[in-house]
Amino acid sequence: MIGRACLAAFVAAATFTHFLAPSYLGYSVWCWLGAALLCLVLVPRFPVSYVLVFAFLGAGYSVWHIQDRLSQSVLAEDTNKVSRVELEILSLVQAGPSHRQFQARVLRSQPPGLPEHILVRWNAAQRYSLYREPPDHHFPELMPGQRWRMSLLVRPPQGARNPHGFDAERHAITQGWRAVGSVRGQPQPLAFDPADSWHTWTERVRHHLRKLLLPYVQERRWGGVMLALSLGDQASIAAPDWLIFNRSGLTHLVSISGTHVTFLAVLLAGLVSWCWRRVRWGRWVLAEQIPAQLAATWVGIAGAGVYCLIAGWGVPAQRTFLMLLVVGLCRVRGLHLGAGRTLLLAAWVVVLHDPWAGLTTGFYLSFGAVSVLFAFAQLMGQVPPAGAWWQRWGRRMGFAAWLQILITLALLPAVAPLFHEVSLASLPANAYAITLIGSIVTPLVLLLLILVALQAPSAWCEFLAYLAHAALDFTMQPTVWLAERHLASVPVPAQHWAWTVLALLGVLLLLLPRGFVSRLSGLSLLIPAMAIRPSLLQEGDWDLFALDVGQGSAVVLRTRSQVLVFDVGNRYGPDSDEGKRSIAPWLKAAGIGQIDTLVLSHADMDHVGGTRSVLQAAPVSRSYSSFDLDLHVSREERLLGVATGSTPRPEQIRRCEQDVSWEVDGVRFRFWWPPAEPSSDKAASGREEDKNAVSCVLEVQGARHSALLLGDAGVAQEQAIVAAGVGPIDVVVVGHHGSRTSSGAHFVKQMQAGLAIAQLGWWNRFGHPHALVQARWERSGALFLRTDQWGALTVESRPSALYYFGERDRYARYWQSSPPP
């Protein structure tokens, strides 16, 4: 028991150290080792001190690696500047029509001091339409092991920070790269040296296998999934397909999961065992020289290890291989560690190999699923009674379905906070997909991979690719139908972490043997996580969320019963915009299923780029805009090549006009601009300055505090609304991202604002905010808050005071990049 507790303490401490405040990580590793030695002195009197020893050792081990990785960072004086770099490609290259992306090791740099591992992005020089996939651009063949001389614009890793959103900087540090370099000019190849590490060698093998496999899969509907099943190349799966897998609960089956690795090991072991016993030459029998059980065990483990390496050596693959290795060693040596020790030993080795494994979702889900399987090992080991073959197989399928139900139930409290939804389609989908993909599709894909590696006749490979794809398509047809149903998944709002822990405890009680405790006690612990919702605001109170959407604008304002969205961020491509990337996930995490009012200030892309995605994410009751919204959406549908009318429209579409107002929940909303009849019709010309001139300006007046949302209104519009009587205002979302064309001196003085919020992108090319504008607001007495430095900003109007906080400040983590000066 002490041994298992020590392993668990090491893994838990090494994992939770990553979530400590950055100040705690400043302590030297020797402090943690000293604490471990102090606890070791207490062991003779208190044997339980062994647990503390391993906990401090785990924390010290994690801190040691964290400090080493943080020491690899871009120097402040080199940030956002071009460096001359000689590098070696380390990873499988992600290829798109107009870009290449890969991880690389820096060999030399000028100026010196770049991090050893960086992420390189090589984009085509041409600019393409935001509504069409770019044509294929010719790039030289890039593969692991190649060395290049490149001019790179280097920056630290950086991404948007929104509540419950994807943390790009966390992803960067778990992957090991500490800088991002964008290619400038024309790179020059250097001598192609042989791979000097096993990692580079395996990545190069993966590259050649993908190159051989592509002709047989790239034109097929589910070809990207076949690449993911064989080589772990998940970047080949299209974004709409990921949505299908998420809603149907099959994400774990289209990656290299433990099921696939275990199946391959068992299949190889079974084949070797069967053949080994039958190999003989006269009286000489191979099984008498080396036992068949020993040979089958080692061949199965070796085959699983090769598969894991070819598949990219992810956390689920690591966990499965290490458990198979432990089980195999115990079987060979005649040891019986038990399920708990095996699982903890595997987790300990995974964390030793990669201290950041605990930050990945796959770590929790894979170990959680296997824990449930181990807990119900007796169910798996039951031998069906005698009967017809179809009866025995029916019972086995029943056992498998029951195990799937148990795994789904056990992981529910962990999956819901991660993805903010529960897939109701996962039970029926997994019931058939686990069997079909695990026992038919994956073996066929792996056999195809072996054939193309052996350069078998193309007719054989084409036939096998057809069979594998046909089986996969047969599996996906009902899956697509399930994913398209309205109730395929149920959104789950973000909850306090305490309710998640309580729900996990409830699941544990539900899974205990019958009679141990009342099942109702376990169910009662699930109720808070499922039923408790964020507390409602009081009459006259409001919450304002200035989301971090880069160089764009998106503000959400909540009252007691209604939600208003002001602008929806930028568009980056036909299938990429801030509505889909940031706003829709935030709405789902916040439990918002309907938008009562959508305001689109003006037709600039950085304010309306996410319109279609937001309209598809949540129904909108009414909208206000300074342009024809229906015409705008119809134009986007035409440019994207989708059916006209396929995008939901708001129930009521109106123009924002001066003096239009309404009141809800004790909060009054009023437009101060544009006037009902503009003095000229220049706005119809489509020029950027004319669009800004008709930007909607909205005032929010609560019981105690007020806010003003300016869009891209300029100095002239500010003077007009001041003359009309606006102000003073407590919170101002400054116009045009802090550009010098807005925030005039007279306007700033009249507002008397306490908070001035600027939504802008990190190191944006426009130089926003202008230093004069920021200084002007600060001299007026306002706190000038920038989303590039603070992340998403939350402002709460309450009877006691006006509260505010930024995501980067409230949840500070050591992996955050320093904001630009």
Side-chain angles (χ1 to χ4, degrees), residues 529-598:
M530 295 187 297
I532 292 181
R533 292 294 179 264
S535 59
L536 295 177
L537 303 179
Q538 300 298 317
E539 286 285 320
D541 292 349
W542 50 261
D543 288 344
L544 183 147
F545 306 93
L547 300 183
D548 185 1
V549 291
Q551 187 63 24
S553 175
V555 178
V556 181
L557 195 135
R558 298 187 73 167
T559 63
R560 179 178 176 84
S561 65
Q562 294 203 3
V563 175
L564 179 143
V565 176
F566 188 95
D567 286 341
V568 289
N570 211 339
R571 171 178 288 278
Y572 308 110
D575 199 42
S576 176
D577 58 71
E578 286 295 342
K580 180 179 297 184
R581 180 186 294 184
S582 301
I583 301 174
W586 186 90
L587 293 173
K588 183 167 67 172
I592 298 174
Q594 176 175 331
I595 298 172
D596 299 284
T597 306
L598 172 65

Side-chain angles (χ1 to χ4, degrees), residues 566-567 598-604 607-608 623-632 653-658 671 673-676 678 680-697 710-713 717:
F566 188 95
D567 286 341
L598 172 65
V599 180
L600 300 174
S601 62
H602 63 298
D604 278 355
H607 292 252
V608 299
S623 69
Y624 291 94
S625 60
S626 60
F627 55 93
D628 190 329
L629 177 59
D630 183 68
L631 186 64
H632 170 78
I653 300 179
R654 303 175 181 176
R655 292 271 186 154
C656 59
E657 296 177 349
Q658 193 172 29
F671 285 114
W673 195 263
S680 68
D681 56 359
K682 287 183 180 180
S685 67
R687 293 201 303 267
E688 182 179 351
E689 60 271 20
D690 298 327
K691 294 177 185 177
N692 295 344
V694 295
S695 181
C696 303
V697 177
L710 287 160
D712 275 358
Q717 291 75 50

Side-chain angles (χ1 to χ4, degrees), residues 65-79:
H65 282 81
I66 290 171
Q67 292 177 347
D68 177 67
R69 188 160 290 183
L70 289 179
S71 67
Q72 299 279 326
S73 59
V74 182
L75 300 177
E77 57 269 24
D78 296 334
T79 300

